[in-house]
């Protein structure tokens, strides 16, 4: 997490275009904090998708920060960086490093994946992401995902799980690209 991401919170999010997303991610976060008491009353997944600069990363960072400040310890990563990290486990001389790295991400109590779809599309990458998300889906492990590509442009099995109406809250993020509009402090 960069210092900029560590500064994001729900209170400073400009919800002009994405009030429903702010509400949903905030509710998801509160639900996970309450789940430590033994009940999860919300869908365990949240999926944000839409054009660049509409606030997806900022909402995921705000969720990460709120969870951390309440004693929950999510794993936050960019999908391309995650795949690099797992793949580099194949190059470690001692056996089992690849499996250990993959298992650690697969079983993280809360996983926040940013920039799904920014990774190079390879058969290995798609298979790895499918195995990761399928495991988390089957185990109902809390997972938040942000993607610039629309669901129709993602691997179909992954897109289906991300949009499961019972299991996941999927939201299209709207609005102008804050980077191009000069709204650096606006929704990101």
């Amino acid at each position: 997490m960069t210092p900029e991401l560590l500064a994001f919170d729900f209170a400073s999010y400009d919800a002009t275009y994405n009030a429903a997303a702010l509400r949903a991610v905030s509710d998801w976060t509160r639900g996970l904090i309450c789940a430590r008491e033994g009940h999860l009353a919300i869908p365990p997944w949240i999926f944000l998708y839409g054009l660049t600069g509409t606030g997806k990363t900022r909402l995921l960072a705000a969720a990460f920060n709120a969870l951390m400040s309440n004693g929950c310890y999510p794993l936050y990563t960019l999908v391309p960086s995650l795949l690099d990290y797992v793949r580099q486990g194949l190059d470690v001389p001692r056996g089992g490093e690849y499996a250990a790295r993959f298992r650690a991400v697969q079983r993280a109590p809360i996983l926040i994946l940013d920039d799904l779809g920014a990774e190079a599309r390879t058969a290995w990458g798609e298979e790895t992401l499918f195995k990761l998300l399928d495991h988390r889906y089957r185990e109902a492990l809390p997972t938040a995902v942000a993607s610039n590509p629309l669901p129709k442009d993602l691997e179909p099995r992954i897109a289906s799980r991300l949009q499961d109406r019972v299991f996941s809250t999927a939201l299209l993020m709207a609005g102008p690209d804050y980077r191009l509009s000069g709204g650096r402090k606006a929704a990101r």
Side-chain angles (χ1 to χ4, degrees):
M1 293 290 286
T2 65
E4 182 183 25
L5 292 176
L6 289 171
F8 290 155
D9 60 25
F10 294 123
S12 63
Y13 185 81
D14 178 355
T16 302
Y17 297 99
N18 293 298
L22 171 61
R23 204 170 28 260
V25 175
S26 179
D27 289 349
W28 179 79
T29 303
R30 274 195 305 279
L32 293 177
I33 293 166
C34 292
R36 291 187 313 177
E37 298 166 8
H39 53 82
L40 182 61
I42 58 162
W45 281 24
I46 192 147
F47 174 45
L48 307 175
Y49 62 95
L51 298 176
T52 302
T54 54
K56 298 177 297 295
T57 295
R58 182 175 183 138
L59 284 175
L60 293 184
F64 174 89
N65 294 328
L67 289 164
M68 289 291 290
S69 68
N70 283 280
C72 299
Y73 301 101
L75 172 59
Y76 176 101
T77 186
L78 298 174
V79 171
S81 299
L82 168 67
L83 291 174
D84 286 346
Y85 172 75
V86 170
R87 187 175 29 244
Q88 288 165 0
L90 292 170
D91 298 330
V92 175
R94 68 169 209 226
E97 185 66 21
Y98 170 82
R101 289 178 181 203
F102 184 74
R103 200 169 29 257
V105 176
Q106 194 178 43
R107 296 178 181 169
I110 303 169
L111 180 62
I112 300 175
L113 295 175
D114 200 0
D115 276 335
L116 176 67
E119 71 280 355
R121 288 192 80 164
T122 65
W124 178 87
E126 286 187 0
E127 178 184 354
T128 301
L129 285 171
F130 173 74
K131 288 192 291 189
L132 168 66
L133 291 170
D134 184 62
H135 173 83
R136 296 189 67 78
Y137 178 84
R138 291 176 188 279
E139 296 295 322
L141 294 171
T143 305
V145 179
S147 170
N148 289 337
L150 298 175
K152 70 179 183 62
D153 298 319
L154 296 172
E155 198 278 335
R157 296 171 302 165
I158 290 173
S160 175
R161 284 158 177 77
L162 290 170
Q163 297 176 94
D164 181 324
R165 292 175 190 227
V166 172
F167 193 77
S168 178
T169 302
L171 295 138
L172 173 63
M173 301 283 288
D177 184 332
Y178 85 98
R179 294 175 192 94
L180 300 178
S181 65
R184 191 104 180 118
K185 296 193 189 269
R188 173 177 158 164

